[in-house]
Amino acid sequence: MKVVIIGPAYPLRGGLATYNERLARAFHEAGDEVRIVTFSLQYPDFLFPGQTQFSTEPGPTDLDIEVSLNSVNPLSWYRVGNRLRRERPDLVIFRFWLPFMGPALGTVARLVRRNRHTRVVAITDNVLPHEKRPGDRPLTRYFLAACHGFVTMSRAVLADLRRLHFRQPAVYRPHPLYDNFGPLKPKADALRALGLDPAFHYLLFFGFIRAYKGLDILLQAFADERLAHRPIKLIIAGEFYEDAAPYEALIRQHNLESRLVRATDFIPNERVVDYFCAADMVVQPYKNATQSGVSQIAYHFGRPMLVTDVGGLAELIPNGEVGYVVPPTPHAIADALVDFYEHEREPEFTAGVWARKKEFSWEVMVKALKEVAERPKLIS
């Protein structure tokens, strides 16, 4: 097939760009011709909460990436949409994660499908956003109505589609494995690379820091007296996407500074392996969620996980087999952390992770996207 993926990719950085590039390689591996169309402007600077939207790493040399779509310039929407309409790819895949992108992506989708040949499918990370704003629903509806079908990576998002009364073909397939951060590294080597004392155990909170990800809950859990006297430190690895002051207040209130390892800048791809392989367990204390790429990095590196029972997180983490699924409260999280160390669960959970990780292949995702495109009556 001739495939076009529309969404973040190099020179943009972050999990969406990493995913889209890996997906393009999966289509290549399946024998398809694929190109990525990414943003020349993704967000205006005043809307972007981080330090920079752009990668400082070398770009991929094995991918065809076109930088041409401006999220706030309708002239660019029409240029891209009309050009793709004339090119007549077999499949255009949109990555949809935020209502703000609805006008740009929805307009391109409408223009492309006018050729009556191209099938338009969306990978919908979210349908109802984590952080709600006025206008979310009409912007989202504008985009969703332009699609022939959807693939969701959590059952919660599939339910949201049906709740909004979209009846196009849609299937759930779990987020594939992030296997593009290099091979597993021995824990001792990872600790050495990060300059961490091997006399301590380490837990990892990884990813952009936003309110819905619950770092405040984890800090309160980590202050539990049952953990305070153990040789355990919490690594906070990720850039603040909001005001850090409330978190700093919690750290001071509970006297946590000496028990933390701070890495609150953007983590480049080549350093991801060190943070995951240095950790005993990856903790995702989210207050709400759909799915998480962090879980699939943890699966790749064979790391046990603790997730909260919100959204689609628990779908991929069998409780007691690869880690814990707990309510999003400090006490529940602290109970699980105490159990993990008191009963030395790391070896058994690690074995569970390795047994389960083979279920999350990119081939399955490619097949699902093609099936939704080719079978318009499919609903599951």
Side-chain angles (χ1 to χ4, degrees), residues 196-197 199-205 222 227 230-236 256-261 278-281 341:
L196 298 179
D197 186 347
F200 287 87
H201 295 278
Y202 295 90
L203 298 164
L204 176 64
F205 175 95
F222 203 57
L227 296 168
R230 293 177 178 270
I232 306 168
K233 292 194 176 188
L234 172 63
I235 302 172
I236 302 173
L256 295 176
E257 188 64 53
S258 64
R259 300 171 56 209
L260 302 180
V261 176
D280 301 332
M281 184 162 64
Y341 285 108

Side-chain angles (χ1 to χ4, degrees), residues 253-267:
Q253 176 187 344
H254 296 292
N255 195 27
L256 295 176
E257 188 64 53
S258 64
R259 300 171 56 209
L260 302 180
V261 176
R262 294 173 179 258
T264 51
D265 292 317
F266 182 79
I267 308 298

Side-chain angles (χ1 to χ4, degrees), residues 33-270:
E33 177 187 338
V34 61
R35 177 164 100 256
I36 304 176
V37 174
T38 191
F39 295 93
S40 57
L41 177 69
Q42 181 175 216
Y43 306 111
D45 286 340
F46 73 90
L47 290 178
F48 183 70
Q51 297 173 10
T52 178
Q53 300 178 55
F54 298 99
S55 175
T56 58
E57 301 174 54
T61 59
D62 60 332
L63 297 176
D64 182 359
I65 301 176
E66 170 193 319
V67 182
S68 59
L69 186 59
N70 184 313
S71 67
V72 296
N73 184 348
L75 292 178
S76 107
W77 311 347
Y78 282 93
R79 278 196 300 268
V80 171
N82 284 321
R83 179 164 45 78
L84 291 176
R85 173 177 55 82
R86 292 190 297 269
E87 291 179 5
R88 293 171 59 85
D90 301 302
L91 174 61
V92 173
I93 300 165
F94 287 87
R95 192 73 186 274
F96 185 75
W97 71 102
L98 194 66
F100 173 79
M101 296 297 172
L105 301 183
T107 300
V108 173
R110 283 170 166 77
L111 292 168
V112 171
R113 60 182 288 172
R114 286 182 185 175
N115 63 26
R116 299 185 180 277
H117 169 76
T118 301
R119 303 296 291 176
V120 172
V121 176
I123 300 173
T124 50
D125 291 69
N126 303 299
V127 173
L128 303 175
H130 303 300
E131 298 157 331
K132 296 177 175 56
R133 299 174 180 85
D136 282 346
R137 290 207 175 202
L139 294 177
T140 297
R141 285 182 177 277
Y142 178 75
F143 170 71
L144 297 178
C147 297
H148 290 116
F150 310 103
V151 174
T152 76
M153 293 183 289
S154 77
R155 292 186 177 90
V157 173
L158 185 61
D160 286 342
L161 281 170
R162 299 315 182 209
R163 196 172 296 120
L164 292 174
H165 305 295
F166 285 93
R167 303 303 300 172
Q168 296 101 312
V171 296
Y172 156 71
R173 295 293 181 272
H175 193 306
L177 207 66
Y178 270 140
D179 55 3
N180 50 318
F181 293 109
L184 183 70
K185 179 181 286 191
K187 185 179 288 187
D189 292 351
L191 292 171
R192 192 177 306 112
L194 296 175
L196 298 179
D197 186 347
F200 287 87
H201 295 278
Y202 295 90
L203 298 164
L204 176 64
F205 175 95
F206 186 87
F208 298 137
I209 300 169
R210 309 189 76 151
Y212 76 88
K213 293 191 175 182
L215 177 58
D216 54 337
I217 299 175
L218 178 55
L219 290 171
Q220 293 172 67
F222 203 57
D224 191 289
E225 289 186 1
R226 294 171 295 169
L227 296 168
H229 304 295
R230 293 177 178 270
I232 306 168
K233 292 194 176 188
L234 172 63
I235 302 172
I236 302 173
E239 185 179 352
F240 278 99
Y241 265 35
E242 61 178 8
D243 185 5
Y247 302 99
E248 298 295 348
L250 279 172
I251 291 167
R252 290 192 300 272
Q253 176 187 344
H254 296 292
N255 195 27
L256 295 176
E257 188 64 53
S258 64
R259 300 171 56 209
L260 302 180
V261 176
R262 294 173 179 258
T264 51
D265 292 317
F266 182 79
I267 308 298
N269 285 350
E270 68 269 17

